[in-house]
Amino acid sequence: MNRIDGRNYDELRPVEIIPNINKFAEGSCLIRCGNTQVLCTASVEDRTPPHVPYGEGWVTAEYSMLPRANRERSRRDVSKLKLSPRSAEIQRLVGRALRAAVDMKKLGERAITIDCDVLQGDGGTRTASVTGGFVALALACRKLVEDGVLKESPLKTMVSAVSAGIVKDQLLLDLCYEEDSSAMVDLNCVMTSQGELVEIQGTGEGRAFTVAEQQALVELCAKGIRELQQIQLDVLGGTF
C-alpha cells in the first residue's frame, strides 16, 4: 500500500533530536518524529520517594500534552484537577522504560524526573517521549559525572521506543496519526541497546492478531529502534 507520506513500510518518519534545549534543566532535548514534537527535560533532586530502598536512586516521568498539541484544543489536566487516564498510563510507561536503563545503586540517593511535554502530536507521542527522554536522562547523568557528584554514569544501557501496526492488512513501522487512527492492530515496543524487550503494548483495534503477526511487528520495531539508537548516540557524541 502507498503510505500517506510516501514512506516504505519499514521506514521511520524523519527524526531530529536537538539536545540542551533548556538551559536550566540538568538534561534536555526536543525530539521531532515527523510532525510529532516532544520537549523532554531531566531534573535532578537530592532526595528519593519513601518506597525507594536506602542507598538507591529513582527515575520517574511525567507526561502532558499542550492544549493545541492536537487538531482541536484539549483542556489542561490542571483545569480538570486530575491527570487524564491516558496521560497517567503513558507517564508510567515512560518511567518504567527509563528505569530499565539505570543502575539505581550507582545513581545513589537522588531522583531524576523526566518531563515529557508534547508540543505537537501526530502519532507516537509515547514512543517519542521514551526516545527523547533517554537523551535528556543521559545528558543529566553526564552532568552529574562532570560536576563530580558521581564517579561514573549510572546508565547501563540505552532505551528507545517506536510503534508498528497493521493497516489494511499491511505491516507498517512508526505510524503517523492517520495510520494509527485506522490501524487494525497497534503495537508499541520499548527495547534496550542489547535488543532486549522492556515493554510491548499490543492491541487488536479492528481485529485480533496472531502470534506470528506480533513477532513480525516486534521485528519491525527492532529495526526502527536500532536506527533510533544510532541517532541517540550521534546526538550524545558517540557514547552514553
Side-chain angles (χ1 to χ4, degrees), residues 102-142:
V102 180
D103 183 325
M104 297 301 173
K105 290 184 178 179
K106 288 185 178 180
L107 180 57
E109 293 183 9
R110 53 188 55 84
I112 302 179
T113 301
I114 310 297
D115 287 293
C116 302
D117 293 294
V118 180
L119 309 183
Q120 187 167 280
D122 189 47
T125 60
R126 73 186 64 197
T127 53
S129 295
V130 171
T131 303
F134 175 80
V135 172
L137 174 64
L139 290 170
C141 291
R142 181 176 295 175

Side-chain angles (χ1 to χ4, degrees), residues 44-190:
V44 181
E45 295 179 282
D46 291 324
R47 58 189 176 91
T48 58
H51 72 274
V52 177
Y54 175 79
E56 295 187 14
W58 186 247
V59 174
T60 189
E62 293 191 9
Y63 170 98
S64 182
M65 298 189 76
L66 294 185
R68 274 317 301 262
N70 283 320
R71 286 150 181 78
E72 296 180 358
R73 186 184 186 277
S74 60
R75 293 176 61 195
R76 297 181 189 271
D77 284 333
V78 68
S79 71
K80 296 176 283 189
L81 302 180
K82 65 178 181 178
L83 198 63
S84 73
R86 179 179 181 275
S87 294
E89 183 263 325
I90 291 175
Q91 70 182 35
R92 285 195 293 267
L93 164 69
V94 177
R96 287 192 300 268
L98 297 177
R99 284 193 290 275
V102 180
D103 183 325
M104 297 301 173
K105 290 184 178 179
K106 288 185 178 180
L107 180 57
E109 293 183 9
R110 53 188 55 84
I112 302 179
T113 301
I114 310 297
D115 287 293
C116 302
D117 293 294
V118 180
L119 309 183
Q120 187 167 280
D122 189 47
T125 60
R126 73 186 64 197
T127 53
S129 295
V130 171
T131 303
F134 175 80
V135 172
L137 174 64
L139 290 170
C141 291
R142 181 176 295 175
K143 188 175 190 306
L144 289 172
V145 174
E146 290 173 349
D147 290 349
V149 177
L150 296 178
K151 292 182 178 180
E152 60 179 324
S153 174
L155 295 179
K156 57 187 179 181
T157 187
M158 300 175 65
V159 290
S160 308
V162 76
S163 69
I166 301 177
V167 181
K168 297 180 180 178
D169 292 316
Q170 172 69 54
L171 273 67
L172 301 176
L173 176 66
D174 194 14
L175 305 183
C176 65
Y177 174 80
E178 288 82 4
E179 293 169 338
D180 185 56
S181 62
S182 62
M184 299 173 172
V185 177
D186 182 28
L187 184 142
N188 298 299
C189 184
V190 184

